[in-house]
Amino acid sequence: MASEDITKLAESLAKTKVGGGQLSFKGQSLKLNTAEDAEEVIKQIEEFDGLEALRLEGNTVGVEAAKVIAKALEKKSELKRCHWSDMFTGRLRSEIPPALISLGDALITAGAQLVELDLSDNAFGPDGVRGFEALLKSPTCYTLQELKLNNCGMGIGGGKILAAALKECHRKSSAQGKPLALKIFVAGRNRLENDGATALAEAFGIIGTLEEVHMPQNGINHPGITALAQAFAINPLLKVINLNDNTFTEKGALAMAETLKALRQIEVINFGDCLVRSKGAVAIADAVKEGLHKLKELNLSFCEIKRDAALTVAEAIEDKAELEKLDLNGNCLGEEGCEQLQEILEGFNMAAVLGSLSDDEGEEEEDEEEEEDEDEEEEEEEEQQQLKEREQGEQESLTPKKIIDSQDSTPVPSPPVDVTTFLAFPSPEKLLRLGPKCSVLIAQQTDTSDVEKVVTTLLRISSVFKDEAPVKTAVHETTDALMRKAFTSATFNSDAFITSLLIHMGLLKSEEKIKAVPSLYGILMTLNHMVQQDYFPKSLAPVLSAFVTKPNRALDSCSFARHMLLQTLHQL
């Protein structure tokens, strides 16, 4: 390390806040790569008697630096709070797990008993969860009350690993007579989806002591929402439920409404942008009306709620003396409906609690759109259910059974899947069932002289992306076959392709009305692979980078995938 760098580090450390058992290096942008880089940090840790909280947010810690910092922590048995969010900026994903393992092992060796662990805003993905899995299962976390893992890109796989670790921690701590009593759980922006949410719901049901759950922007649909609702019902101390920007639909909303009837301590309900729709809103209103006397905030914004249902919600809060905020913005009330809503609240002397209605979508004249959306959802759900049932049947057919009252025990073969079927209703299972030649088949059947067809096919393929190895490999191989064919064709217009892709992603406006894809996670992760391949024109990288860098709500909900792509583009 150069002398000027050491001087700069020393000056930065001089600003370190010390007090109340806390040592903070927060936001100092320290680049700790080697043991030498970390010398001053280690010195501060070693000399701090009675260290109870260590803040490392806003710095970047490499594997070697983490090892020596860990060594210093081995003697800090009084450490209770680890504020370690955003401390791996610019690191490769492969660097993060070993760094976390070193730090976690040090805490275990020290015999620390953590109360709070915050690893938010570290893009470690599913593998990163393995980095602190042992820590979660150890006696160090038997006392854990707050676990914060916001925006870590855990995915379904990471969610399942985390859930298993929490259950194991509860089992072991219960055997010691002091069961894990987790109070606050934060895991927004992690693409947990239904399977990850369901796994965590099982853990929540076992723990039973939660007071706050924050899981916004996770791509959870009604099966996952229903599982969470059932788990919340057996966590009677719940005060805050934040599931913003997931997809309840009526089924999920009804399940959550039933749970709310059983909870008595609820103070904050954030179901904004959750598509609860009118029937769901009425069910939630009934739950609010029946109880929830401690309610302070109710957010049902951007949920496609119509006028009558919104008025029902307003009427339900009449006796909620502690209510501070009601958010019904972005729904379908219309000008008259907004006025009626305000009149109702004025009648209760509660007009001040109503949030802005500036983004109201206006009253819809017909119910056809909602009915069509519900029909489409039901068809997709039925198809997914049938697919799952077929898969279960296939798995069961692998296990020998005694067939009663039947002469023919031959398993019924699953219906064949062809390229057309996959592209019409994409799913990971269908892609895998196309077999090892799926990449060749899809490339052969796509007219690469038609830019729109290439973009549409690419989006269909990427929509099924998962972090699980077989699916990820199939998506990558199929994408490579398609895009190699397209980009090497003399008639293919690369500029038109990137323009069309950005429009379909909702990152570029078009004169034509084109519906953007519902989630950018799959295409961002697929692009992260694509841009590294030899067939991808490097001239398109700056264009892609410029649009992915711009502020965008859809991109914000996929911050992990966005970060990965931007990091890769920067390295090209």
Side-chain angles (χ1 to χ4, degrees), residues 105-396:
D105 287 349
L107 298 178
I108 296 170
T109 300
Q113 294 195 318
L114 293 186
V115 172
E116 179 179 0
L117 177 61
D118 187 355
L119 292 170
S120 299
D121 300 315
N122 289 310
F124 47 59
D127 295 340
V129 185
R130 294 286 188 195
F132 59 94
E133 181 185 15
L135 174 63
L136 282 181
K137 293 178 180 180
S138 75
T140 294
C141 285
Y142 290 177
T143 50
L144 195 63
Q145 295 180 17
E146 301 179 30
L147 180 58
K148 300 173 182 178
L149 299 165
N150 202 54
N151 191 31
C152 292
M154 290 189 291
I156 294 171
K160 289 181 176 179
I161 297 167
L162 176 62
L166 288 172
K167 288 191 289 185
E168 181 71 0
C169 180
H170 187 271
R171 185 188 69 78
K172 288 182 174 180
S173 58
S174 296
Q176 297 291 323
K178 294 182 179 179
L180 172 67
L182 192 66
K183 293 181 179 180
I184 298 174
F185 179 83
V186 182
R189 297 183 179 183
N190 272 291
R191 295 303 307 175
L192 294 168
E193 300 183 19
N194 289 331
D195 290 348
T198 300
L200 285 166
E202 186 178 338
F204 297 162
I206 292 170
I207 293 168
T209 56
L210 288 167
E211 295 181 12
E212 295 185 22
V213 175
H214 302 264
M215 295 174 66
Q217 296 182 1
N218 269 298
I220 308 170
N221 300 324
H222 80 80
I225 296 297
T226 300
L228 288 171
Q230 292 168 348
F232 293 165
I234 43 181
N235 279 266
L237 302 177
L238 264 175
K239 296 178 182 178
V240 178
I241 301 177
N242 176 6
L243 294 174
N244 189 285
D245 200 5
N246 290 291
T247 307
F248 282 40
T249 62
E250 182 183 341
K251 292 180 182 178
L254 291 176
M256 196 59 71
E258 281 302 308
T259 285
L260 291 175
K261 292 177 182 178
L263 299 173
R264 292 288 175 265
Q265 306 300 320
I266 289 291
E267 296 178 4
V268 177
I269 297 171
N270 186 344
F271 297 159
D273 208 6
C274 282
L275 207 64
V276 304
R277 294 206 173 111
S278 296
K279 291 179 181 177
V282 169
I284 291 169
D286 289 342
V288 170
K289 191 170 186 176
E290 287 183 22
L292 306 187
H293 295 292
K294 296 183 179 181
L295 189 63
K296 294 180 179 178
E297 181 178 335
L298 175 59
N299 184 345
L300 293 174
S301 60
F302 299 93
C303 281
E304 294 191 4
I305 300 168
K306 296 184 181 177
R307 181 180 62 179
D308 290 347
L311 299 181
T312 301
V313 172
E315 290 166 353
I317 67 167
E318 180 178 3
D319 63 344
K320 304 300 175 251
E322 296 187 31
L323 192 72
E324 298 170 0
K325 183 178 181 182
L326 172 64
D327 193 346
L328 288 168
N329 198 16
N331 287 301
C332 310
L333 281 68
E335 186 176 345
E336 185 180 343
C338 290
E339 290 174 0
Q340 289 176 316
L341 181 66
Q342 290 166 337
E343 287 172 7
I344 289 173
L345 294 174
E346 284 171 3
F348 301 153
N349 197 27
M350 297 178 71
V353 306
L354 182 63
S356 170
L357 297 173
S358 60
D359 292 319
D360 186 74
E361 295 288 338
E363 188 171 13
E364 293 181 8
E365 294 180 4
E366 299 177 2
D367 293 339
E368 288 180 7
E369 279 190 33
E370 184 169 323
E371 288 172 2
E372 285 175 8
D373 288 342
E374 288 174 352
D375 289 342
E376 286 176 11
E377 284 166 11
E378 286 175 8
E379 286 175 10
E380 287 182 20
E381 287 165 7
E382 285 175 10
E383 184 184 324
Q384 292 297 324
Q385 185 60 35
Q386 289 169 1
L387 185 60
K388 285 184 179 179
E389 288 171 0
R390 286 200 298 269
E391 288 169 350
Q392 288 169 359
E394 289 168 10
Q395 291 299 318
E396 289 169 3

Side-chain angles (χ1 to χ4, degrees), residues 300-514:
L300 293 174
S301 60
F302 299 93
C303 281
E304 294 191 4
I305 300 168
K306 296 184 181 177
R307 181 180 62 179
D308 290 347
L311 299 181
T312 301
V313 172
E315 290 166 353
I317 67 167
E318 180 178 3
D319 63 344
K320 304 300 175 251
E322 296 187 31
L323 192 72
E324 298 170 0
K325 183 178 181 182
L326 172 64
D327 193 346
L328 288 168
N329 198 16
N331 287 301
C332 310
L333 281 68
E335 186 176 345
E336 185 180 343
C338 290
E339 290 174 0
Q340 289 176 316
L341 181 66
Q342 290 166 337
E343 287 172 7
I344 289 173
L345 294 174
E346 284 171 3
F348 301 153
N349 197 27
M350 297 178 71
V353 306
L354 182 63
S356 170
L357 297 173
S358 60
D359 292 319
D360 186 74
E361 295 288 338
E363 188 171 13
E364 293 181 8
E365 294 180 4
E366 299 177 2
D367 293 339
E368 288 180 7
E369 279 190 33
E370 184 169 323
E371 288 172 2
E372 285 175 8
D373 288 342
E374 288 174 352
D375 289 342
E376 286 176 11
E377 284 166 11
E378 286 175 8
E379 286 175 10
E380 287 182 20
E381 287 165 7
E382 285 175 10
E383 184 184 324
Q384 292 297 324
Q385 185 60 35
Q386 289 169 1
L387 185 60
K388 285 184 179 179
E389 288 171 0
R390 286 200 298 269
E391 288 169 350
Q392 288 169 359
E394 289 168 10
Q395 291 299 318
E396 289 169 3
S397 69
L398 298 176
T399 306
K401 288 184 177 180
K402 182 178 180 181
I403 309 298
I404 302 174
D405 297 330
S406 175
Q407 298 299 315
D408 184 9
S409 62
T410 305
V412 179
S414 297
V417 173
D418 56 21
V419 171
T420 305
T421 304
F422 166 73
L423 292 177
F425 299 99
S427 73
E429 295 79 12
K430 287 194 187 112
L431 182 62
L432 294 177
R433 282 169 55 199
L434 279 172
K437 292 185 178 180
C438 65
S439 58
V440 176
L441 292 171
I442 290 176
Q444 284 177 344
Q445 294 186 38
T446 303
D447 180 5
T448 52
S449 65
D450 186 331
V451 167
E452 282 299 311
K453 284 186 179 178
V454 173
V455 169
T456 302
T457 303
L458 174 63
L459 290 170
R460 295 286 172 86
I461 295 166
S462 65
S463 71
V464 307
F465 179 90
K466 284 188 175 183
D467 281 312
E468 297 166 10
V471 178
K472 183 194 291 188
T473 301
V475 169
H476 286 173
E477 290 178 351
T478 308
T479 298
D480 289 343
L482 172 68
M483 298 315 302
R484 189 180 297 279
K485 178 184 175 185
F487 283 127
T488 54
S489 170
T491 58
F492 189 70
N493 188 328
S494 299
D495 292 333
F497 164 79
I498 199 70
T499 300
S500 176
L501 180 62
L502 290 168
I503 290 170
H504 282 276
M505 291 172 70
L507 305 182
L508 182 63
K509 289 184 179 179
S510 169
E511 293 180 2
E512 299 177 24
K513 192 173 181 180
I514 295 176

